[in-house]
Amino acid sequence: MKVAVVGATGMVGEVMLKVLEERNFPISELLLVASERSVGKKLSYKNTEYTVIGLDDAVTAQPDIAIFSAGGDTSLEWAPKFAEVGTTVIDNSSAWRMDPSKKLVVPEINAKELTVDDKIIANPNCSTIQMVLALDPLHKKYQMKRVVVSTYQSVSGTGVKAVQQMENEAAGIEGEMAYPYPINRNALPHCDVFLENGYTKEEMKLAREPQKILDDRTFSVTATAVRIPTAGGHSESVNVEFHNDFDLAEVRQLLSETPGIVVQDNPDTNTYPMPAFANGKDDVFVGRIRRDETQPNTLNMWIVADNLRKGAATNAVQIAEYLVENKLVSNTSEAVS
Ligand SMILES: NC(=O)c1ccc[n+]([C@@H]2O[C@H](COP(=O)([O-])OP(=O)(O)OC[C@H]3O[C@@H](n4cnc5c(N)ncnc54)[C@H](OP(=O)(O)O)[C@@H]3O)[C@@H](O)[C@H]2O)c1
């Protein structure tokens, strides 16, 4: 595959290159793409040095697959240009996620919906991916009614500038601010921009994207998204009300059997998921699994994942792997609709 990584110099882009290398994705030619600011910069992949190119040159090269992690505006403008030359775009931004003509994919859940005609495929929001992966098997078994989620999100979710802000503050250095307030020793109930309804855009992504991924509008999700001074991964306190009652041992069993999920749940040994341990791993970790004693058929759990891995790069590479394995990229000889 001729593969373009758009946003290669960014937080997600760096992990994307790591994940492509670790999983030995079949790359015949690699194009590393970023803004004009970075053109000419050198990046390395599998011990080979590559020169960063601009978007125009990347489109001209007509890659088979382009993985975008360069912000919504770049995706809105450039993903259609790649699609026009036959490239399949996998996009990490929020630009296409709720577009009814685009698929929103967590491979373990709905990759089967993909066809060779899907030229722009959306990767869900990082907080959504880890939550929905754990909710899917439980929804199938007990039928969700309502989800209440509060997030504790890593600064790495905002990008390079935010990690720098936190590190500067910790070291007492004055520098550029990615957030309107200090983040070190703080908690900001503010992820992405505020909307007219008083929620942030991140909170509305958590409310809407699970319905699209699970192709079911019969349950609802309400969210509060909070940024905290950690860099390792996102954590979520999730309260789920089901239509049907459940057995806690069975819930643990269902989650343990779900590909991509690791259950870490033993109060006797202080075993529970934490971002410091999820960091650098592809799995979604679930713990603190317990009954909500205030309401029937209701479960509490704590879900943690590395937002740059399963929340972004790993999920995107898994989509690319699915496309290649199922011959859904135009250059694969037997590509079928
Ligand atoms: N961080 C996460 O956990 C996460 C998770 C899921 C999805 N995402 C999404 O992934 C995208 C990137 O996030 P990030 O955290 O990696 O941000 P980041 O660290 O700020 O990196 C942004 C990347 O986009 C490139 N870029 C910016 N403007 C561009 C333009 N006009 N043309 C071409 N390239 C451009 C930058 O290139 P330069 O270096 O040249 O500026 C850089 O490579 C965003 O859409 C974000 O919403 C992030």
Side-chain angles (χ1 to χ4, degrees), residues 7 9-12 34-35 37-38 69-71 74 92 156-157 159-160 307-308:
T9 51
M11 202 97 232
V12 176
S35 79
R37 292 179 291 274
S38 302
S69 315
T74 307
N92 263 306
S156 64
V160 174
N307 49 295
L308 296 172

Side-chain angles (χ1 to χ4, degrees), residues 1-2 12 14 41 59 80 119-120 161 189 191 249 251 262:
M1 292 286 128
K2 190 192 276 192
V12 176
E14 188 187 335
K41 208 171 158 180
V59 173
K119 287 294 171 207
I120 301 177
K161 270 192 201 162
C191 298
V251 166
V262 173

Side-chain angles (χ1 to χ4, degrees), residues 263-274 277 288:
V263 173
Q264 289 183 324
D265 192 30
N266 188 353
D268 293 341
T269 54
N270 296 337
T271 303
Y272 38 74
M274 286 179 280
F277 294 137
R288 302 296 322 279

Side-chain angles (χ1 to χ4, degrees), residues 43-270:
L43 293 176
S44 117
Y45 176 78
K46 287 196 174 178
N47 297 322
T48 303
E49 207 171 68
Y50 290 81
T51 305
V52 173
I53 61 169
L55 279 154
D56 268 321
D57 288 344
V59 173
T60 307
Q62 303 188 350
D64 303 306
I65 295 176
I67 308 179
F68 269 62
S69 315
D73 292 343
T74 307
S75 293
L76 279 176
E77 183 183 347
W78 288 90
K81 294 182 185 172
F82 278 87
E84 254 168 49
V85 298
T87 303
T88 303
V89 173
I90 302 167
D91 183 38
N92 263 306
S93 80
S94 59
W96 306 100
R97 289 181 191 147
M98 296 314 291
D99 180 328
S101 68
K102 307 287 182 289
K103 311 263 169 75
L104 183 62
V105 177
V106 177
E108 293 89 339
I109 300 174
N110 62 345
K112 284 198 180 77
E113 291 173 13
L114 291 170
T115 74
V116 74
D117 298 323
D118 291 308
K119 287 294 171 207
I120 301 177
I121 300 162
N123 215 48
N125 175 251
C126 40
S127 313
T128 303
I129 294 177
Q130 64 186 72
M131 181 175 75
V132 87
L133 197 66
L135 292 180
D136 177 51
L138 305 179
H139 181 50
K140 284 195 180 109
K141 183 81 185 175
Y142 311 113
Q143 192 68 44
M144 292 189 296
K145 191 172 174 186
R146 180 167 183 256
V147 179
V148 182
V149 53
S150 301
T151 70
Y152 303 67
Q153 299 188 206
S154 158
V155 291
S156 64
T158 315
V160 174
K161 270 192 201 162
V163 177
Q164 194 58 54
Q165 179 185 332
M166 184 177 78
E167 284 171 1
N168 283 345
E169 286 168 6
I173 300 167
E174 258 195 45
E176 209 182 330
M177 300 276 280
Y179 302 115
Y181 296 100
I183 184 64
N184 197 41
R185 299 174 180 232
N186 205 359
L188 309 180
H190 178 181
C191 298
D192 210 330
V193 295
F194 280 101
L195 303 173
E196 270 182 14
N197 65 358
Y199 285 80
T200 60
K201 199 168 165 195
E202 184 83 358
E203 289 162 350
M204 294 315 294
K205 290 173 201 166
L206 276 157
R208 299 283 172 257
E209 291 179 14
Q211 296 181 333
K212 180 164 176 178
I213 298 161
L214 299 177
D215 191 21
D216 190 341
R217 268 101 188 135
T218 63
F219 65 88
S220 53
V221 182
T222 185
T224 301
V226 181
R227 191 74 61 191
I228 61 162
T230 177
H234 291 347
S235 306
E236 299 175 337
S237 163
V238 181
N239 178 274
V240 200
E241 183 183 0
F242 297 101
H243 286 283
N244 303 306
D245 200 8
F246 54 82
D247 172 70
L248 275 182
E250 191 181 53
V251 166
R252 287 198 184 89
Q253 183 72 20
L254 282 170
L255 291 170
S256 308
E257 288 166 356
T258 301
I261 289 193
V262 173
V263 173
Q264 289 183 324
D265 192 30
N266 188 353
D268 293 341
T269 54
N270 296 337

Side-chain angles (χ1 to χ4, degrees), residues 304-336:
V304 180
D306 184 333
N307 49 295
L308 296 172
R309 289 240 165 199
K310 184 57 183 166
T314 305
N315 199 72
V317 174
Q318 286 172 323
I319 294 173
E321 287 171 347
Y322 184 90
L323 295 173
V324 173
E325 277 159 25
N326 292 278
K327 300 186 169 27
L328 299 177
V329 181
S330 334
N331 96 346
T332 44
S333 50
E334 298 158 51
V336 280

